[in-house]
Amino acid sequence: MITIKPFKALRPEAQHAKAVASKPYDVLSSKEAKIEAQGNPNSFLHITKSEIDLPESTDIHSAAVYEKAKENPQAFISRKIVFRESKPCYYIYRLTMNGKSQTGLVCVSSVDDYGKGLIKKHEFTRPEKELDRITHIKTTGAQTGNVFLAYKNVPEIDNLIGKWTSDKNPQYDFIADDQVQHSIWIVNDDNSIKEITRLFKTTVPHSYIADGHHRAASAAKVREALGSAATENAGFFLTTLFPSNQLSIMDYNRVVKDLHGLSKDEFLQKLESTFHIEKKSKAYRPENLHDFGLYLENQWYKLSSKPGTFGHDPIGILDVTILQENILGPVLGILDQRTDKRIDFVGGIRGLEELEKRVNSGEMKLAISLYPVSIEQLFNIADSGNVMPPKSTWFEPKLRDGLLTHLID
């Protein structure tokens, strides 16, 4: 069974919550973050993407960037934008987008549980992204990024959280610029805190990383690196646990820089052995498993996997696996999506227009749209001890950074 704890969050004063709350650090480029934070000195992007406060020529992984990230929280505190909670609390976080809500519990989860496999993974991580978060956590003494966990829902937990949100008023409640509503309740009653801890300890055998593999891995490696100097807080990391029956997954698409020396006709000809290819008159979003969209030289195609060209085990049946084994690897020479610089990933929330934009600009040569993975597929793969190809799942809406931060020192 999993171990969770309440914690003393660093959080904004209520009147500043909307201004502080920022999109996760890893969904914005430095340029996008600078535009997003323009005119808003209270944006948490000044901490998670602190390069925006330095000259544009600054290497985003330089010591100056991490030192700026350490300096900025102190400025936020001195200006009374944020403060530290006086006692350990749980927090309930509801996200509402397009009329649909999902409600999770913000807590800290055990690094030891992560190491034992009680917090299950479904992706490998990229070393350079881990190093960035490790350095950020060690320098700032804070876990600023929330790890999005899922668990198989438990009626008792659903009822307790539902009762709290219906009986109490949220501490924060605002609609962000992307029209997602963020509502947060503080659970500071000792009996309720004990009951929540007990319920997770006795009814939830595992949690599953939905989003935040690099944040989780980095927190564990920071605790390991600190050794005997690690505080008790460093043995836990910032998480929000959502019941699986409230979650859905969006598509996570690919863009590739070149055709690996092939012409357009040669490339399409190679695909004919494993796919039925059909030209489309407009942008194509797959409507079924094992179908893909391909955008190449101002033309969209529907690719339908031919029978017998993919496996039926939990990994082989995934569209991200079919893509890797039938297109990326054998045709385009991309053997490791985690490290190959010729491929990039585009979350479904950005739409097919973003895929066209990346290709039409000349930055990329082709784009591929995928059908979303299901939450059941994610659980099955994690339970089997396997991992998906990287960037297989995109969860939306996203938790905002800055509303609840975990300090490890």
Side-chain angles (χ1 to χ4, degrees):
M1 298 293 179
I2 65 171
T3 299
I4 64 168
K5 284 177 51 176
F7 68 106
K8 297 179 181 179
L10 182 73
R11 62 182 184 87
E13 298 284 356
Q15 69 270 26
H16 299 305
K18 183 176 181 179
V20 170
S22 69
K23 293 176 182 175
Y25 79 96
D26 54 353
V27 303
L28 295 170
S29 67
S30 299
K31 183 177 179 180
E32 290 170 330
K34 190 160 192 169
I35 294 170
E36 188 101 358
Q38 191 169 12
N40 180 9
N42 298 339
S43 170
F44 210 69
L45 290 169
H46 293 286
I47 294 165
T48 57
K49 301 284 286 185
S50 53
E51 66 268 19
I52 67 176
D53 293 337
L54 298 170
E56 288 188 13
S57 59
T58 305
D59 181 345
I60 64 171
H61 300 304
S62 68
V65 171
Y66 299 110
E67 286 300 321
K68 193 68 177 174
K70 179 180 180 179
E71 171 189 320
N72 283 344
Q74 297 305 316
F76 275 44
I77 292 169
S78 66
R79 289 192 286 117
K80 300 189 184 303
I81 304 302
V82 300
F83 69 99
R84 184 130 187 233
E85 200 80 69
S86 61
K87 65 173 285 186
C89 299
Y90 285 123
Y91 305 86
I92 298 170
Y93 194 151
R94 175 175 293 159
L95 294 157
T96 305
M97 183 177 76
N98 299 329
K100 181 184 176 183
S101 295
Q102 60 190 56
T103 305
L105 180 77
V106 188
C107 60
V108 289
S109 293
S110 168
V111 167
D112 288 337
D113 282 359
Y114 177 82
K116 294 173 186 174
L118 297 179
I119 299 172
K120 297 193 175 188
K121 306 179 283 287
H122 68 267
E123 286 184 7
F124 287 126
T125 52
R126 299 173 74 166
E128 71 276 10
K129 291 191 70 175
E130 273 191 26
L131 181 59
D132 170 58
R133 285 303 96 183
I134 289 169
T135 308
H136 195 277
I137 294 170
K138 288 176 71 175
T139 305
T140 62
Q143 295 160 353
T144 58
N146 209 315
V147 179
F148 187 146
L149 298 179
Y151 65 97
K152 296 175 182 177
N153 62 292
V154 177
E156 282 182 275
I157 298 175
D158 293 346
N159 292 338
L160 191 157
I161 289 177
K163 180 171 173 49
W164 191 276
T165 57
S166 63
D167 290 350
K168 313 282 186 181
N169 292 322
Q171 180 70 16
Y172 306 140
D173 193 19
F174 62 88
I175 297 175
D177 293 342
D178 57 5
Q179 301 308 303
V180 175
Q181 183 174 357
H182 299 261
S183 309
I184 293 180
W185 290 258
I186 301 173
V187 182
N188 51 15
D189 171 71
D190 290 341
N191 290 332
S192 298
I193 289 172
K194 288 178 182 177
E195 181 63 3
I196 290 171
T197 305
R198 183 194 71 79
L199 281 171
F200 276 90
K201 188 70 174 176
T202 57
T203 66
V204 181
H206 303 101
S207 60
Y208 301 79
I209 299 178
D211 192 9
H213 283 82
H214 291 92
R215 281 161 257 165
S218 300
K221 290 184 177 179
V222 166
R223 201 276 295 267
E224 181 182 4
L226 291 173
S228 60
T231 63
E232 181 181 352
N233 284 347
F236 291 82
F237 61 103
L238 181 62
T239 58
T240 301
L241 289 122
F242 285 95
S244 58
N245 62 344
Q246 296 185 26
L247 300 178
S248 58
I249 304 175
M250 295 187 74
D251 45 310
Y252 210 161
N253 304 310
R254 272 61 172 160
V255 286
V256 180
K257 286 189 175 181
D258 59 69
L259 293 178
H260 200 45
L262 301 172
S263 68
K264 171 186 171 181
D265 291 340
E266 290 170 335
F267 174 69
L268 293 174
Q269 186 175 10
K270 284 183 176 289
L271 296 188
E272 288 177 351
S273 62
T274 48
F275 298 94
H276 297 291
I277 303 175
E278 175 188 346
K279 281 188 176 182
K280 305 299 287 186
S281 60
K282 60 181 181 180
Y284 177 68
R285 184 185 304 279
E287 298 173 345
N288 299 290
L289 283 169
H290 315 328
D291 288 347
F292 303 83
L294 169 66
Y295 185 63
L296 175 63
E297 296 186 8
N298 296 305
Q299 175 65 55
W300 278 96
Y301 302 85
K302 174 184 177 181
L303 307 180
S304 300
S305 299
K306 293 181 177 179
T309 61
F310 55 87
H312 293 278
D313 58 281
I315 295 292
I317 203 168
L318 291 173
D319 284 351
V320 284
T321 303
I322 296 170
L323 174 65
Q324 177 61 44
E325 295 186 349
N326 291 345
I327 300 179
L328 296 180
V331 181
L332 294 174
I334 296 172
L335 303 181
D336 187 347
Q337 294 183 57
R338 294 183 304 131
T339 58
D340 199 305
K341 303 300 183 185
R342 296 168 53 224
I343 189 168
D344 200 6
F345 310 91
V346 181
I349 192 66
R350 290 181 176 254
L352 300 183
E353 298 82 2
E354 179 70 13
L355 300 183
E356 293 181 346
K357 176 184 172 184
R358 299 282 296 271
V359 174
N360 292 343
S361 69
E363 177 197 359
M364 295 293 179
K365 180 65 176 178
L366 75 151
I368 299 171
S369 58
L370 288 87
Y371 190 77
V373 172
S374 70
I375 194 73
E376 291 77 16
Q377 286 178 313
L378 186 154
F379 284 174
N380 288 340
I381 288 163
D383 287 340
S384 71
N386 288 305
V387 293
M388 295 181 185
K391 304 300 181 184
S392 298
T393 57
W394 182 276
F395 285 85
E396 198 71 36
K398 300 283 188 186
L399 301 161
R400 289 268 166 152
D401 286 346
L403 293 173
L404 299 163
T405 297
H406 180 227
L407 304 180
I408 66 167
D409 58 11

